Amino acid sequence: MLFSSCFFSCRFHMGNLLKVLTYNELDQGPNFFLDFENAQPTEAETAVWNQVNAVLEEAQGVLAELQSYTGAGQEIREAIQNPGDLRLQERAWSAVCPLVAKLKRFYEFSLRLENALRSLLEALTSPPYAPTQHLEREQALAKQFAEILHFTLSFDELKMTNPAIQNDFSYYRRTISRNRINNLQLDAESEVNNEMANRMSLFYAEATPMLKTLSNATTKFVSENKTLPIEDTTDCLSTMACVCRVMLETPEYRSRFTNTETLLFCMRVMVGVIILYDHVHPVGAFAKTSKIDMKGCIKVLKEQPSTSTEGLLNALRYTTRHLNDDTTSKQVRALLQ
């Protein structure tokens, strides 16, 4: 994207945000350069920032645990193949129980993440400021919003490529049911009772459970805040998508990144806000009236190495709501084929 001479930057009070006073060809609103690497909270942001930061501090640990999750496949297979061997049954159960406790922690973290997202949405859409002004004024909260999306897509990519998670949990539930029929109480039931197991089962049945959690939370936020125009929430999302697209497609801005991981961070955040927008907005992200330049966003993803973007393109293909609507242009559909 080429920028005209009317395009200039001005230092914001913390120096972390460059406002780009231009409009793209589709008149989709102002673009911003957010310093995702260095934004720090102002005094006004501190209360919400601290609340959300307490959740985000756990995020890397959750991803590390999920990445190292190997499952109890061998123990389960041996137990199933030898149903009369009590030693193998006990061995499988002993292997599965700590894994299920870990899956419970992941699920409980998703609930805390949902609450953190709600706090950020409240802060970034509250009157009297428009969403665009919030993103200008509250850079550190915008960065936390981005970090939640980055974590979400990272978690879901790991989950989708690890079938052991659902296999382990299915075995756990079958064993619990069988022992309940036989009136046997297992120690693990006190930690993951039937109600919790049902909720976890619904969570892990989703292809992208964290993304589904955030989508549901955003939709619920909109429905519960009836005095808040839905556009305030969707404009916050579309502006963030625009931020990331401009940062990715502009060499001048990309050169500001001091960490090579920031490029992948921007791509994940862009895809995450597109999916949230598509779930919350009545006509979605792919319609011609959408405030997101979908062609531009998809093109900028396709310009990156496929190893970095194939999972993100699949997220757009399979976890959005309106891609196959009649209002989606043939060009956008073709780009995602």
Side-chain angles (χ1 to χ4, degrees):
M1 179 174 178
L2 297 175
F3 291 88
S4 63
S5 58
C6 70
F7 172 73
F8 66 94
S9 64
C10 61
R11 292 184 68 99
F12 193 61
H13 58 88
M14 298 261 327
N16 291 328
L17 176 68
L18 292 175
K19 183 177 182 182
V20 179
L21 300 178
T22 188
Y23 288 77
N24 64 22
E25 293 174 2
L26 298 177
D27 192 26
Q28 292 174 323
N31 299 326
F32 294 89
F33 180 85
L34 283 169
D35 188 349
F36 283 138
E37 294 179 338
N38 302 304
Q40 296 297 318
T42 61
E43 187 176 346
E45 296 170 88
T46 301
V48 174
W49 189 90
N50 285 338
Q51 177 193 341
V52 175
N53 189 58
V55 178
L56 285 172
E57 282 181 340
E58 299 177 50
Q60 281 307 115
V62 169
L63 288 180
E65 279 196 89
L66 181 56
Q67 199 155 18
S68 63
Y69 189 102
T70 54
Q74 183 176 341
E75 291 89 343
I76 290 171
R77 279 192 300 274
E78 289 177 350
I80 291 172
Q81 290 167 2
N82 301 277
D85 191 324
L86 185 60
R87 182 183 62 84
L88 290 177
Q89 306 308 309
E90 290 175 349
R91 183 177 168 216
W93 183 248
S94 297
V96 164
C97 283
L99 294 173
V100 169
K102 188 176 290 189
L103 295 179
K104 182 191 175 190
R105 289 198 298 275
F106 297 163
Y107 169 71
E108 289 174 334
F109 181 76
S110 78
L111 303 180
R112 292 196 293 280
L113 199 69
E114 182 179 347
N115 289 332
L117 178 72
R118 183 183 182 86
S119 296
L120 288 174
L121 287 174
E122 286 174 353
L124 294 172
T125 60
S126 60
Y129 302 111
T132 301
Q133 292 172 303
H134 276 297
L135 292 176
E136 276 190 88
R137 297 168 61 87
E138 289 137 29
Q139 308 153 45
L141 298 187
K143 181 188 174 192
Q144 286 185 318
F145 184 42
E147 286 171 340
I148 285 177
L149 291 163
H150 181 263
F151 163 82
T152 296
L153 269 69
S154 299
F155 181 97
D156 286 346
E157 280 184 17
L158 289 170
K159 185 265 177 185
M160 280 193 288
T161 56
N162 194 339
I165 289 172
Q166 281 184 277
N167 292 340
D168 292 349
F169 196 64
S170 294
Y171 177 80
Y172 174 84
R173 296 210 72 186
R174 288 197 306 271
T175 305
I176 288 285
S177 298
R178 187 168 61 245
N179 283 282
R180 192 174 289 123
I181 290 168
N182 295 329
N183 292 320
L184 294 175
Q185 181 71 26
L186 298 170
D187 291 341
E189 281 191 83
S190 58
E191 183 166 349
V192 181
N193 60 30
N194 197 46
E195 183 188 349
M196 173 63 78
N198 286 336
R199 283 187 276 144
M200 287 172 62
S201 184
L202 290 172
F203 177 76
Y204 287 110
E206 294 288 342
T208 53
M210 286 290 177
L211 199 54
K212 181 68 172 176
T213 297
L214 295 198
S215 295
N216 288 346
T218 307
T219 303
K220 186 179 178 184
F221 173 80
V222 169
S223 66
E224 288 180 351
N225 289 271
K226 299 189 186 302
T227 59
L228 187 73
I230 188 173
E231 291 79 12
D232 283 17
T233 302
T234 55
D235 284 359
C236 178
L237 302 177
S238 61
T239 302
M240 185 72 83
C242 192
V243 167
C244 295
R245 177 178 56 77
V246 171
M247 290 169 73
L248 288 166
E249 68 188 5
T250 310
E252 176 194 348
Y253 290 158
R254 286 173 59 155
S255 68
R256 296 174 190 266
F257 301 154
T258 58
N259 188 336
T260 54
E261 288 297 310
T262 308
L263 187 67
L264 181 57
F265 180 90
C266 285
M267 289 190 283
R268 287 186 192 278
V269 173
M270 182 178 73
V271 169
V273 288
I274 288 170
I275 294 168
L276 282 183
Y277 183 100
D278 195 57
H279 279 255
V280 175
H281 197 281
V283 297
F286 298 93
K288 289 180 180 178
T289 54
S290 166
K291 291 187 177 181
I292 297 177
D293 176 6
M294 285 306 305
K295 281 191 285 188
C297 290
I298 295 167
K299 283 178 181 175
V300 82
L301 286 174
K302 291 201 158 190
E303 287 167 2
Q304 315 307 319
S306 60
T307 52
S308 301
T309 59
E310 192 56 32
L312 298 177
L313 289 167
N314 282 338
L316 290 176
R317 290 177 185 122
Y318 305 123
T319 65
T320 47
R321 183 173 287 175
H322 295 280
L323 174 61
N324 294 316
D325 288 4
D326 293 338
T327 52
T328 302
S329 75
K330 291 180 180 178
Q331 288 175 303
V332 169
R333 279 206 191 108
L335 282 170
L336 281 175
Q337 283 177 354

